[in-house]
Amino acid sequence: MRFRGKSIRRKIVALLLVPLLSLTALWGFATVLTGREANQLLAASSVAEKVGMPVEDTIDVIQQERRQTLVYLADRRASGAQQTMNTRRSATDTAVAAVRRNAQSSSVREDLTSDSSRRLTSLMEAFDGLDALRRSVDTNTVTRAQALEFYNGLIEPSHGFLLTLHALDDVELERQGRALVGLSRAREMLSREDALIASALTTRKTTAREIRELSDHAAHRQVYYETNLEMLPARDRGTFQQYWRSPETAPLRDAEERIIAAGPSEGLPPSEAERWQQAATPVLDNLDREAADARDRYQDRVEPAAYGVLVKAGVAGVLGFLALLVSVIVSVRIGRDLVRDLSRLRKEAHEVSGVRLPSVMRRLAAGEHVDVETEAPRLEYEKDEIGQAGQALNTLQRAAVEAAVRQADMRRGVSEVFVNLARRNQVLLHRQLSLLDTMERRTEDTEELADLFRLDHLTTRMRRHAEGLVILSGAAPSRQWRKPIQLMDVVRAAVAEVEDYERIEVRRLPRIGVGGPAVADLTHLIAELLENATVFSPPHTGVQVLGERVANGFTLEIHDRGLGMAADALLEANLRLAETPEFELSDTDRLGLFVVSRLAQRQNVRVSLQQSPYGGTTAVVFIPAALLTEAPETQGTGFRLDRKSESAAGRRGDGQAAGPDEAAQRPRGCG
């Protein structure tokens, strides 16, 4: 049994419940065992009264109908045969109806075992064939042997059902109940003899087959008596043994021996049938009466035994309950204090880990000052083992808060270092750009001017990288514009900040403007994506930039022709772009994507990476309509492009690069 994830109270309760459950199981087992035995005895008595006795009565009337049916089949013209048979049938129908009525009772079905219920259902189905047999008898389409076999097939399942009623836990009573059923079967053998001989004597002849059957029935009857009488009490056993040795059964025994010894014969006198009936009928009636008395005495033994078992079950139940109650009281008193102390410790540990520390982390992430003594107060505990665990919790709590404060101070210091270094570099780079601009305007030498252009481009890229440090630290970049700038100029300025700008082809974009506050961030964002596209694609391939208006803004697409990204890497990159996680110093693999995510979050721009139709990767930048304006005039905006980069990277809508003369006439530099 596993208790991981369970509460302390449940674990302690489970620990204490082990002996309690064991004691409860033993008490319950003893109580259920004795109670079930008593219930079975009482149920057996009830079922025997409601179903068993009607089934036994049904067996008796079926035996009588069987005898009369065989006599009728032997001589249909006999006086009163038809009327007597109808009377027997009526009695059988009444008895079967009583059995059916009781079998349909819910209380009876509940008291029956599964085997008894199944056998009772089969018996009811067998009774359904009585009507068909009777029609065959009336139309003379069945022989005596077939009719005898059918009636035997009704009585045998009845005895099988009666056997299941005596399947009790009390071995002695079960043996006696089965012995009573065995005696009923012995009487059934005699009843079969009676039906067989009466029908044969009606025809005034006996066949070899009938003699064999008569001999078999007599032998089976003897076996049943010898087997079952030994299991009965001495009184019942003596009653049956004395009866079979008495002069009352002598005529029957003599008649059996005489008929069997005579063998097959024909032309028997009519008086033989009368003598057989005078010998067999009293014996059958007496046996039926003695069996009924034995069954009554058996029921008288079952009920007291059941009540005695109930008394034993009650005594065992009361004593067991008292022992269980004492055990529960002792266990509760022992475990209550332990559960209370552990619950307090669990509650305070949960408060530290689930409330205090997360609150401290959130406040530190927001830049608030945190006092260690206030946020991690010392808790008082006892000096036992649980108290020692509580003191350890105090130590861990203070250590965690102090470590979080130190980490926040370190991150704040690193961010300030980033900003400080980046600002210093930006100042120097701005001065260097101004100096390069002056030198470019003063120089007439073409080769020297080209070198100055390359140096200008390197300085522009250095300025973007320095600005990336500012963004990583969470501060805003220093470059800002107040007036709108054309989107085409923003894209060209981004191209100017990429090393392999010559590979970038910008398709002509619609005349549309970008609001001044978003120009710097959008330029930096597009430049980062363009640099990724050039770095992760072969040097001989190009990168395409194109865009179009959409319903709620403008979509800019950047296509490269590289190897693309695996599905899991693409998913990870899109999650990074969408969620903008907190920057970790150890996470330096893709700083560009982190910078893009920060810029996109700040301007409410959506960036996603997709598989490119050209085999590489496509970066889709959705610029919301709130950042877009009417297209401004290029002149007078204060936003200037690098002439070298524009001449090499700026493309017209027809895909032709701008010429040197045209490039020389365009403004340069970044505002």
Side-chain angles (χ1 to χ4, degrees), residues 212-350:
R212 286 195 303 271
E213 289 184 3
L214 176 62
S215 178
D216 291 342
H217 294 331
H220 287 155
R221 183 188 69 206
Q222 187 66 25
V223 170
Y224 278 129
Y225 276 119
E226 292 177 356
T227 303
N228 294 283
L229 285 178
E230 294 297 328
M231 294 185 289
L232 289 177
R235 176 183 176 183
D236 295 335
R237 181 170 62 251
T239 299
F240 282 97
Q241 289 176 345
Q242 183 179 2
Y243 178 72
W244 277 105
R245 289 195 293 264
S246 68
E248 297 180 18
T249 60
L252 174 66
R253 288 183 275 117
D254 293 341
E256 282 181 342
E257 294 177 0
R258 185 174 63 255
I259 294 174
I260 294 174
S265 28
E266 297 183 2
L268 295 174
S271 59
E272 189 67 29
E274 184 177 353
R275 285 198 299 271
W276 170 260
Q277 184 171 358
Q278 291 175 352
T281 301
V283 174
L284 287 171
D285 293 340
N286 289 332
L287 288 176
D288 190 30
R289 184 170 56 256
E290 293 295 340
D293 293 340
R295 286 194 297 270
D296 292 339
R297 290 190 292 272
Y298 173 76
Q299 293 299 325
D300 293 338
R301 292 192 296 272
V302 168
E303 290 188 4
Y307 291 123
V309 174
L310 280 177
V311 171
K312 294 179 183 178
V315 173
V318 171
L319 294 179
F321 178 75
L322 291 177
L324 180 62
L325 183 61
V326 172
S327 301
V328 169
I329 294 174
V330 173
S331 299
V332 169
R333 295 190 62 180
I334 292 176
R336 183 173 53 190
D337 293 339
L338 182 61
V339 170
R340 183 179 63 248
D341 294 342
L342 289 177
S343 297
R344 175 173 176 260
L345 181 61
R346 181 200 63 81
K347 179 180 178 181
E348 292 176 350
H350 177 72

Side-chain angles (χ1 to χ4, degrees), residues 192-228:
R192 291 183 185 181
E193 290 181 51
D194 178 46
L196 183 64
I197 294 176
S199 63
L201 294 179
T202 300
T203 61
R204 302 178 63 183
K205 64 178 180 179
T206 56
T207 64
R209 180 174 179 275
E210 292 171 339
I211 296 299
R212 286 195 303 271
E213 289 184 3
L214 176 62
S215 178
D216 291 342
H217 294 331
H220 287 155
R221 183 188 69 206
Q222 187 66 25
V223 170
Y224 278 129
Y225 276 119
E226 292 177 356
T227 303
N228 294 283

Side-chain angles (χ1 to χ4, degrees), residues 325-627:
L325 183 61
V326 172
S327 301
V328 169
I329 294 174
V330 173
S331 299
V332 169
R333 295 190 62 180
I334 292 176
R336 183 173 53 190
D337 293 339
L338 182 61
V339 170
R340 183 179 63 248
D341 294 342
L342 289 177
S343 297
R344 175 173 176 260
L345 181 61
R346 181 200 63 81
K347 179 180 178 181
E348 292 176 350
H350 177 72
E351 183 179 358
V352 169
S353 62
V355 179
R356 291 181 183 175
L357 288 181
S359 175
V360 170
M361 296 299 182
R362 287 193 298 269
R363 292 170 59 188
L364 290 174
E368 298 181 16
H369 177 72
V370 173
D371 182 25
V372 176
E373 293 296 333
T374 303
E375 299 299 333
R378 296 185 181 275
L379 304 175
E380 298 296 331
Y381 294 96
E382 300 292 337
K383 296 186 180 298
D384 55 6
E385 289 81 356
I386 298 178
Q388 294 173 5
Q391 295 299 332
L393 176 64
N394 276 332
T395 303
L396 290 175
Q397 177 186 199
R398 294 182 64 83
V401 173
E402 290 173 356
V405 171
R406 286 195 299 270
Q407 184 181 12
D409 292 340
M410 182 184 67
R411 294 179 62 180
R412 190 181 301 110
V414 171
S415 297
E416 292 175 356
V417 169
F418 279 177
V419 174
N420 193 7
L421 292 177
R423 296 298 188 196
R424 291 184 180 185
N425 286 338
Q426 283 183 320
V427 171
L428 295 177
L429 291 173
H430 277 298
R431 293 174 61 185
Q432 183 174 333
L433 285 173
S434 300
L435 180 59
L436 288 174
D437 183 68
T438 303
M439 293 175 65
E440 289 172 3
R441 295 180 183 281
R442 232 184 15 240
T443 301
E444 298 293 339
D445 189 334
T446 304
E447 293 182 359
E448 185 176 354
L449 182 60
D451 290 339
L452 290 174
F453 279 165
R454 284 192 291 272
L455 184 60
D456 189 315
H457 183 258
L458 290 174
T459 304
T460 303
R461 291 172 54 211
M462 291 172 62
R463 181 183 62 186
R464 177 168 61 84
H465 293 318
E467 191 175 85
L469 292 177
V470 177
I471 295 171
L472 290 177
S473 66
S478 58
R479 290 191 297 169
Q480 296 293 335
W481 276 265
R482 293 189 303 273
K483 296 181 180 181
I485 304 298
Q486 284 195 26
L487 179 60
M488 188 67 181
D489 291 338
V490 173
V491 175
R492 287 175 176 174
V495 173
E497 297 183 5
V498 179
E499 180 179 3
D500 291 339
Y501 58 84
E502 295 147 338
R503 294 167 50 198
I504 301 175
E505 176 185 354
V506 181
R507 299 292 177 88
R508 185 173 299 279
L509 302 176
R511 287 182 57 83
I512 191 171
V514 178
V519 169
D521 289 346
L522 196 58
T523 302
H524 196 150
L525 184 150
I526 297 173
E528 292 288 349
L529 294 175
L530 288 173
E531 186 166 30
N532 276 348
T534 57
V535 169
F536 294 103
S537 60
H540 63 277
T541 61
V543 175
Q544 289 186 349
V545 181
L546 51 93
E548 63 178 346
R549 286 181 179 271
V550 292
N552 299 319
F554 192 88
T555 299
L556 198 66
E557 297 181 2
I558 301 173
H559 299 278
D560 67 55
R561 289 172 170 78
L563 297 177
M565 301 175 66
D568 54 348
L570 193 64
L571 177 61
E572 181 183 356
N574 281 320
L575 289 176
R576 184 188 295 266
L577 291 171
E579 296 177 356
T580 315
E582 188 71 22
F583 175 66
E584 298 291 342
L585 295 177
S586 59
D587 190 6
T588 59
D589 292 341
R590 294 183 178 179
L591 292 179
L593 287 180
F594 185 84
V595 172
V596 170
S597 177
R598 277 286 180 88
L599 294 172
Q601 182 189 38
R602 189 156 57 194
Q603 298 297 336
N604 198 25
V605 173
R606 293 203 301 269
V607 181
S608 62
L609 302 180
Q610 304 174 2
Q611 295 292 343
S612 173
Y614 303 104
T617 303
T618 297
V620 180
V621 182
F622 173 73
I623 306 172
L627 302 182

Side-chain angles (χ1 to χ4, degrees), residues 121-240:
T121 302
S122 301
L123 181 59
M124 295 299 100
E125 293 174 354
F127 285 158
D128 293 336
L130 266 175
D131 292 337
L133 173 66
R134 290 169 177 174
R135 287 193 297 270
S136 300
V137 171
D138 293 338
T139 57
N140 199 23
T141 57
V142 63
T143 64
R144 285 186 294 148
Q146 291 173 341
L148 178 63
E149 185 68 23
F150 179 84
Y151 282 111
N152 294 345
L154 291 180
I155 296 175
E156 190 61 31
S158 301
H159 286 138
F161 168 70
L162 292 175
L163 276 177
T164 62
L165 297 183
H166 302 289
L168 305 176
D169 290 337
D170 190 309
V171 178
E172 186 62 27
L173 290 177
E174 180 185 15
R175 293 177 62 211
Q176 294 177 15
R178 290 179 176 273
L180 290 177
V181 176
L183 294 182
S184 179
R185 281 179 164 168
R187 183 185 180 279
E188 162 65 8
M189 294 299 105
L190 180 58
S191 177
R192 291 183 185 181
E193 290 181 51
D194 178 46
L196 183 64
I197 294 176
S199 63
L201 294 179
T202 300
T203 61
R204 302 178 63 183
K205 64 178 180 179
T206 56
T207 64
R209 180 174 179 275
E210 292 171 339
I211 296 299
R212 286 195 303 271
E213 289 184 3
L214 176 62
S215 178
D216 291 342
H217 294 331
H220 287 155
R221 183 188 69 206
Q222 187 66 25
V223 170
Y224 278 129
Y225 276 119
E226 292 177 356
T227 303
N228 294 283
L229 285 178
E230 294 297 328
M231 294 185 289
L232 289 177
R235 176 183 176 183
D236 295 335
R237 181 170 62 251
T239 299
F240 282 97

